């Protein structure tokens, strides 16, 4: 059995398999979410930003910041927390597919770092895709499976989607 094929589409129902975020270790922003995703509270931060040039493109940073510019810091924290819970739920419901994804990257990353990359990528996709009304309704309204998959999918028009430096700093603060 070819591990790469299912590993590129982990966690989606078999009838609606989707590709997981493309793996580009040169852009890796590893945040060790394993502890947070397993309910262990604050997680340690692993390898930091491995950026291409070091200095962010101001236009790209502004575009990334536009996703939450209208929110207070408290609302941004809540958005991260809700997305962490959504990623945690998917990982718990589909552990074998998470393992397949990690195995598919084992030639480039450790199993631990592969999972961190996957969880961070899903968190980024969710953070930039979730609507504030969905954040506010979390816990009282059940999100449809289709909507959850659309949040976790990397938008095709944004292959380099990531957190801005401001967003990453907030996430780091929350995890420490």
């Amino acid at each position: 059995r070819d591990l790469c094929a299912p590993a590129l589409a982990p966690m989606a129902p078999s009838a609606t398999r989707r590709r997981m975020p493309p793996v580009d270790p040169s852009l890796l922003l590893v945040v060790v979410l394993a502890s947070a995703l397993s309910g262990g509270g604050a997680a340690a931060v692993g390898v930091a930003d491995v950026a291409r040039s070091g200095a962010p493109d101001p236009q790209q940073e502004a575009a990334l910041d536009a996703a939450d510019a209208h929110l207070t810091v408290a609302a941004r924290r809540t958005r991260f927390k809700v997305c962490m819970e959504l990623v945690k739920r998917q990982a718990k419901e589909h552990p074998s597919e998470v393992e397949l994804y990690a195995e598919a990257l084992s030639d480039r990353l450790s199993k631990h770092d592969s999972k961190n990359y996957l969880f961070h990528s899903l968190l980024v996709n969710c953070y930039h895709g979730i609507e504030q009304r969905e954040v506010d309704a979390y816990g009282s309204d059940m999100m449809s499976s289709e909507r959850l998959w659309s949040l976790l999918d990397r938008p095709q028009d944004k292959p380099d989607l990531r957190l801005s430096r401001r967003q990453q700093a907030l996430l780091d603060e929350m995890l420490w």
Side-chain angles (χ1 to χ4, degrees):
R1 180 172 151 177
D2 180 8
L3 290 177
C4 291
L8 292 175
M11 299 192 291
S14 59
T16 59
R17 290 246 184 231
R18 292 188 165 88
R19 288 182 55 89
M20 291 308 294
V23 177
D24 182 356
S26 69
L27 299 175
L28 191 59
L29 287 171
V30 178
V31 175
V32 183
L33 293 175
S35 175
L37 292 172
S38 65
V45 174
V47 179
D49 186 294
V50 182
R52 280 181 240 191
S53 65
D57 173 10
Q59 288 180 329
Q60 187 180 29
E61 284 290 299
L64 293 168
D65 280 336
D68 63 1
H70 62 288
L71 300 175
T72 65
V73 172
R76 291 177 189 142
R77 286 176 196 265
T78 301
R79 180 178 282 220
F80 270 124
K81 288 177 184 177
V82 167
C83 285
M84 285 180 190
E85 287 299 316
L86 292 171
V87 170
K88 176 182 172 181
R89 183 175 100 195
Q90 288 301 91
K92 283 185 175 182
E93 289 177 5
H94 305 281
S96 62
E97 291 170 344
V98 170
E99 292 299 319
L100 287 174
Y101 188 88
E103 286 178 33
L105 298 177
S106 64
D107 63 325
R108 292 173 274 175
L109 298 170
S110 71
K111 186 175 184 178
H112 182 77
D113 286 346
S114 297
K115 287 181 180 180
N116 289 335
Y117 179 79
L118 171 63
F119 298 147
H120 183 77
S121 295
L122 295 174
L123 178 67
V124 168
N125 295 345
C126 177
Y127 188 84
H128 284 287
I130 197 165
E131 296 177 19
Q132 193 57 33
R133 65 176 174 74
E134 294 170 314
V135 171
D136 295 339
Y138 183 77
S140 61
D141 269 350
M142 190 63 160
M143 185 178 289
S144 73
S145 179
E146 294 80 17
R147 176 61 182 145
L148 181 55
W149 285 116
S150 71
L151 283 178
L152 299 180
D153 274 346
R154 175 72 41 108
Q156 289 184 359
D157 63 334
K158 297 178 182 175
D160 294 330
L161 190 61
R162 62 177 180 78
L163 297 175
S164 70
R165 296 226 176 195
R166 180 183 51 78
Q167 293 160 348
Q168 184 65 48
L170 179 60
L171 179 60
D172 290 346
E173 178 186 306
M174 290 175 63
L175 295 174
W176 284 99

